[in-house]
Amino acid sequence: MRRIDAEIAAEGGKRSRSRAQIMEVFFRSGRHLTVDELTRKVRVRNRNIGSATVYRTLKLLSRLGYVKELDFGEGVKRYESSLTAHHDHLVCTECGKVSEFEEPRIESLQEEVAREHGFSPTMHRLAIYGVCGRCGPPATGKGEE
Amino acid sequence: MRRIDAEIAAEGGKRSRSRAQIMEVFFRSGRHLTVDELTRKVRVRNRNIGSATVYRTLKLLSRLGYVKELDFGEGVKRYESSLTAHHDHLVCTECGKVSEFEEPRIESLQEEVAREHGFSPTMHRLAIYGVCGRCGPPATGKGEE
DNA sequence: TTGAATATGAAATTCATTCTCATGATATAG
DNA sequence: CTATATCATGAGAATGAATTTCATATTCAA
Ligand SMILES: [Mn+2]
Ligand SMILES: [Mn+2]
Ligand SMILES: [Zn+2]
Ligand SMILES: [Zn+2]
């Protein structure tokens, strides 16, 4: 965590209280936050922090590889720490719940497909949309209504 | 193609010259167009058509299921006919070229993963980013500078 | 042909994100 | 510690894609 400050300093950057607070709240919060959600959380600690600085901090962390930008097509970006293992997402179109999954077989098939098309893959985005267990059919049985 | 007009009429909609021209140009054009690109093409035929109508037409076709909205994270949406078979995309981060692929094994693994998490999947988005054959290493051999 | 309903184009609006700019904080040399 | 050069900040302005508004034009069934 101090490693990030070191990396910023190595690039000629300076430390700052605002950025430190934003990073702390971000890495201690749940995943898949929007800038607006994060800004609110940060402002509980320090009411003076503006969202421009939250944007800047996330962009910086993204450039340094500590944060991943997510886009589930909501018109707003979401962010998560990239310190956790790679995974893809399941998004409930009813309640918005986001779950994570890892499926190595999908990963290697993607590599394979890319190679077959002459592409050197560098990243991918996979999101599966649907209805989660809570919002969907009541566990066992047929549909009602 | 007249089927779409019928469906619109069934919903209480009326035909219009502008919309007909937009639909024709759209379905006769290459895939993965932006609104701006489509608007330009349409304006060659009819200089009076505004982009608001192009947006409206694509939204309508999307609601009726004839068009799919794509988002490759460029900050602009792209559109393609959904009359072709389902497929996912490869996007070159150098030249922007978009290729298509079908991989049934990935599709069924997605179904499986969703079910394991209690999700009823309704759709997914998969895009693989990388460097295409033309932009990448020159076929056979090592990298040069 | 009429008239109620829908569609249109231009311009205004929205909203997330980025940029600008004046001010504040930070680090380092002396 | 202090000066000073550089970087970071917060507020608000600017941007740009997408949507909405509104007055007018078109469609279509009666
Ligand atoms: Mn995640
Ligand atoms: Mn396609
Ligand atoms: Zn749900
Ligand atoms: Zn390319």
Side-chain angles (χ1 to χ4, degrees):
Chain A
M1 174 68 108
R2 279 298 101 133
R3 168 163 299 178
I4 300 178
D5 278 340
E7 224 172 300
I8 292 171
E11 290 204 346
K14 295 176 179 172
R15 222 180 308 165
S16 93
R17 170 173 301 280
S18 293
R19 193 163 55 201
Q21 291 176 321
I22 292 167
M23 292 195 304
E24 232 182 89
V25 172
F26 176 74
F27 285 115
R28 274 164 180 46
S29 294
R31 307 201 185 342
H32 318 133
L33 289 169
T34 65
V35 166
D36 198 61
E37 288 165 350
L38 180 54
T39 301
R40 279 187 224 290
K41 289 198 177 208
V42 168
R43 281 206 175 121
V44 172
R45 283 208 191 175
N46 180 343
R47 190 149 303 115
N48 297 322
I49 292 180
S51 63
T53 303
V54 178
Y55 276 105
R56 283 189 280 237
T57 299
L58 289 171
K59 202 160 93 170
L60 172 63
L61 292 175
S62 187
R63 185 163 55 75
L64 298 181
Y66 293 101
V67 157
K68 276 203 200 96
E69 250 185 40
L70 306 174
D71 184 350
F72 298 140
E74 307 164 294
V76 198
K77 283 176 186 160
R78 292 181 177 275
Y79 297 85
E80 72 180 0
S81 163
S82 55
L83 300 175
T84 62
H86 172 76
H87 57 265
D88 294 304
H89 296 95
L90 288 156
V91 182
C92 178
T93 51
E94 294 295 319
C95 68
K97 182 189 171 199
V98 177
S99 311
E100 307 182 331
F101 71 90
E102 256 180 291
E103 181 43 79
R105 288 173 290 172
I106 292 180
E107 303 289 324
S108 49
L109 284 169
Q110 287 177 18
E111 295 274 336
E112 189 182 309
V113 164
R115 251 181 270 115
E116 280 169 9
H117 286 256
F119 270 73
S120 306
T122 56
M123 62 161 168
H124 66 262
R125 290 175 165 197
L126 170 57
I128 302 175
Y129 299 84
V131 184
C132 78
R134 253 214 281 262
C135 299
T140 318
K142 321 280 296 301
E144 71 282 37
E145 155 58 6
Chain B
M1 174 68 108
R2 279 298 100 134
R3 168 162 301 176
I4 299 179
D5 278 340
E7 223 173 301
I8 292 171
E11 289 203 347
K14 295 175 179 173
R15 222 180 308 163
S16 92
R17 170 173 302 279
S18 294
R19 192 162 56 203
Q21 292 176 320
I22 292 166
M23 292 195 305
E24 231 182 271
V25 172
F26 176 75
F27 286 115
R28 275 166 180 44
S29 293
R31 306 201 187 341
H32 318 135
L33 289 169
T34 65
V35 166
D36 200 60
E37 288 165 351
L38 180 55
T39 301
R40 278 187 224 290
K41 290 199 176 208
V42 167
R43 281 207 175 120
V44 172
R45 284 207 191 176
N46 180 344
R47 190 150 303 118
N48 298 320
I49 291 180
S51 63
T53 303
V54 178
Y55 275 106
R56 284 189 280 238
T57 299
L58 289 171
K59 201 160 94 170
L60 172 63
L61 293 175
S62 188
R63 185 162 56 72
L64 298 180
Y66 293 101
V67 158
K68 278 204 198 95
E69 251 184 39
L70 306 174
D71 183 350
F72 298 140
E74 307 165 294
V76 199
K77 284 176 185 161
R78 292 181 177 274
Y79 298 84
E80 71 181 359
S81 163
S82 54
L83 300 174
T84 62
H86 170 76
H87 57 265
D88 294 303
H89 297 96
L90 287 157
V91 182
C92 178
T93 51
E94 293 295 317
C95 67
K97 182 190 170 200
V98 177
S99 311
E100 308 183 331
F101 71 91
E102 256 180 292
E103 181 43 79
R105 289 173 291 173
I106 291 181
E107 302 289 323
S108 49
L109 283 169
Q110 287 178 18
E111 294 274 335
E112 188 183 309
V113 164
R115 251 182 269 113
E116 280 169 8
H117 285 256
F119 270 73
S120 305
T122 55
M123 61 161 169
H124 65 262
R125 289 176 165 196
L126 170 57
I128 302 176
Y129 298 85
V131 184
C132 80
R134 254 215 281 262
C135 299
T140 317
K142 322 279 297 301
E144 71 280 36
E145 153 72 11

